[in-house]
Amino acid sequence: MKKVLTIICCLLSAVCCPKSFAQTTLFSTEGSSVPYRIPAITTTHDGRLIAVSDYRHCGADIGFGRVDLHYRLSEDKGTTWGKELSLVEGDGVKGSTRCGYGDAALVADAMSDTVLLICVTGNTVYGHATTTRQNPNRVARIYSYDGGRTWQAPEEITEQIYGLFDASELGPVQSLFFGSGRICQSRMVKVGSHYRLYAALCARPGGNRVIYSDDLGRTWHALGDIHTSPAPKGDEPKCEELPDGSVILSSRAWGGRHFNVFHYFKKPSLKNPAYGMWDEEYADSGQMPDGVIAKENACNGEIILVEARRAKDNKKTWLLFQTVPFGPKRANVGFYYKEIAPKTSYWAKDIAAGWSRGMQVSYAASGYSTLTLQTDDRIGFFWEDKCSAPNGYQMNYKPLSIAQITFGKFLPLF
């Protein structure tokens, strides 16, 4: 009886509590000629939320001119937010390697006050034919050592990342960037000084690559064979770790997502840090039974794994959440969710099928979205919602419970 009452109370709280539906515009393009775009958010080990957005003086993607990064902090799990601050400013000089900084990917270390941000820098454009291995869009690394309150000067690490693939049989990567939003930190793999990081790269030619770091981003290594791509037709990608330690790649694709899974053959160690391989073929979720559908669009979204309880029997389980614009076109951003049974192996085709459509958050034109697991067991949802300004978005944040997202079918673990 006590368990039943607990479940009922959780459901009523999720449905009725006004605070559970609180929404905050963190960065507003409304009334401004300078648009915001590209959400990134993370949670520090002591619960602080850090939200980052592009501030696009040039009015377009990184590479076309000056872009800055702005940030805001919340000390109370998203109830209130501090003032908007400048994290790093581009110099706006044509051809400068510091012309702009944008498309942030973010992770807060689970064991310390260190926060890592990776972004694109410079004045070259990812998709342009003139962007080559000799003239790439560049990669910058920025650290905070006080939980996101202040930030160090950016360091360029372009050659370190591109150089990982120079010997690939696919040919050198001519252009790449880290999938913006969330960098994944492992819950179980710790070979070096910190728990392992996984980051997925949007790269051309040859498709997505995935890299890992055991020293919180100071050095990086390829995950898997550099001569193949886990998603040859993939676009902006994300990573997540499954309960058995394997790694999902979730990549933007027209109509849905491309999924692949990296399997370790041995437990990672200093001798065998990443002995394993990707599934031979990726799976197109948009073409699978009950797959993730993004109708008439391809858009950056987020994937995250959380522990939960099934409402029907109160049993512990795992849930994958994937966000996309439901569509048609870039509109109506919301969640898909999928229960993950604790078993020893997962395959791309299994991950790509069997999703349930969850909560729809936006009922307007809307684009990129990202997620963070807060220390109160809510999911911090940060996304682009259309406003009336030309080319503009409101960068909105909303904390959501697992019960809200799944319509009461699953509940927080505690």
Side-chain angles (χ1 to χ4, degrees):
M1 178 60 71
K2 184 177 180 180
K3 289 183 179 180
V4 173
L5 289 175
T6 299
I7 293 171
I8 292 172
C9 288
C10 287
L11 292 175
L12 289 174
S13 175
V15 173
C16 300
C17 178
K19 289 185 178 180
S20 69
F21 288 90
Q23 177 174 310
T24 305
T25 296
L26 297 183
F27 305 95
S28 178
T29 301
E30 201 75 59
S32 172
S33 60
V34 180
Y36 293 89
R37 278 214 65 195
I38 315 299
I41 192 169
T42 194
T43 305
T44 63
H45 70 99
D46 55 358
R48 182 179 304 107
L49 298 178
I50 308 168
V52 179
S53 175
D54 281 15
Y55 186 59
R56 295 183 162 186
H57 295 269
C58 68
D61 287 344
I62 182 73
F64 285 100
R66 180 180 171 184
V67 178
D68 303 341
L69 290 174
H70 285 193
Y71 73 107
R72 294 182 70 180
L73 306 177
S74 174
E75 306 288 350
D76 54 11
K77 302 176 179 61
T79 302
T80 62
W81 290 81
K83 65 180 181 179
E84 182 176 335
L85 299 169
S86 175
L87 194 152
V88 63
E89 296 181 354
D91 62 22
V93 176
K94 185 176 180 180
S96 168
T97 59
R98 299 183 299 277
C99 183
Y101 296 89
D103 280 51
L106 196 59
V107 62
D109 182 40
M111 305 299 291
S112 73
D113 289 332
T114 303
V115 184
L116 169 66
L117 185 151
I118 303 285
C119 66
V120 183
T121 186
N123 191 208
T124 54
V125 181
Y126 171 77
H128 281 193
T130 54
T131 304
T132 66
R133 179 64 180 88
Q134 291 69 43
N135 179 38
N137 62 327
R138 298 176 180 275
V139 185
R141 175 179 63 202
I142 307 174
Y143 283 107
S144 169
Y145 296 113
D146 57 6
R149 294 184 180 91
T150 62
W151 297 82
Q152 304 297 301
E155 310 165 83
E156 190 180 330
I157 58 169
T158 303
E159 286 305 312
Q160 180 189 146
I161 305 303
Y162 280 78
L164 296 173
F165 305 101
D166 279 348
S168 172
E169 294 174 0
L170 299 174
V173 171
Q174 296 179 1
S175 193
L176 64 76
F177 61 93
F178 282 55
S180 64
R182 172 179 171 266
I183 295 173
C184 171
Q185 185 167 37
S186 173
R187 296 174 298 276
M188 58 190 76
V189 178
K190 188 174 185 292
V191 175
S193 59
H194 295 76
Y195 283 93
R196 179 166 288 183
L197 301 182
Y198 297 104
L201 306 177
C202 189
R204 67 173 183 87
N208 294 141
R209 314 299 206 278
V210 177
I211 58 178
Y212 71 93
S213 173
D214 288 325
D215 54 12
L216 210 66
R218 289 169 178 83
T219 59
W220 293 88
H221 313 274
L223 185 68
D225 181 7
I226 66 169
H227 305 299
T228 60
S229 165
K233 298 180 180 179
D235 200 316
E236 291 176 292
K238 301 296 183 71
C239 281
E240 181 55 294
E241 182 182 58
L242 288 167
D244 69 339
S246 56
V247 180
I248 298 177
L249 171 71
S250 171
S251 187
R252 164 181 165 175
W254 183 259
R257 306 293 291 183
H258 287 174
F259 288 109
N260 206 337
V261 179
F262 181 85
H263 309 269
Y264 285 106
F265 296 155
K266 292 184 178 180
K267 182 180 178 180
S269 64
L270 289 174
K271 184 177 180 181
N272 294 294
Y275 180 44
M277 66 178 297
W278 293 94
D279 285 355
E280 189 172 333
E281 295 185 359
Y282 71 89
D284 185 342
S285 191
Q287 304 299 316
M288 298 293 285
D290 296 319
V292 173
I293 304 296
K295 185 178 179 182
E296 298 176 14
N297 76 81
C299 193
N300 201 356
E302 190 63 78
I303 189 167
I304 195 169
L305 181 75
V306 299
E307 291 183 280
R309 289 180 292 129
R310 289 193 297 261
K312 65 181 180 180
D313 59 10
N314 211 36
K315 296 293 186 181
K316 177 182 174 181
T317 189
W318 294 89
L319 286 180
L320 271 178
F321 291 120
Q322 173 72 61
T323 61
V324 291
F326 291 154
K329 301 182 179 178
R330 285 194 179 180
N332 305 318
V333 166
F335 286 82
Y336 280 89
Y337 66 92
K338 176 183 177 69
E339 185 174 5
I340 297 292
K343 58 181 183 179
T344 57
S345 61
Y346 308 82
W347 304 98
K349 59 182 175 54
D350 301 320
I351 296 295
W355 292 79
S356 298
R357 180 161 159 165
M359 180 182 182
Q360 180 176 328
V361 182
S362 173
Y363 289 83
S366 42
Y368 287 22
S369 58
T370 188
L371 305 169
T372 187
L373 179 60
Q374 301 184 179
T375 53
D376 59 1
D377 287 329
R378 293 188 297 177
I379 308 296
F381 184 56
F382 187 30
W383 81 102
E384 302 173 333
D385 227 34
K386 192 69 176 175
C387 72
S388 61
N391 301 317
Y393 284 99
Q394 304 291 79
M395 308 300 294
N396 290 339
Y397 158 84
K398 191 171 188 174
L400 298 165
S401 71
I402 292 172
Q404 284 175 270
I405 297 169
T406 65
F407 307 121
K409 293 182 179 179
F410 295 89
L411 304 170
L413 186 58
F414 300 110

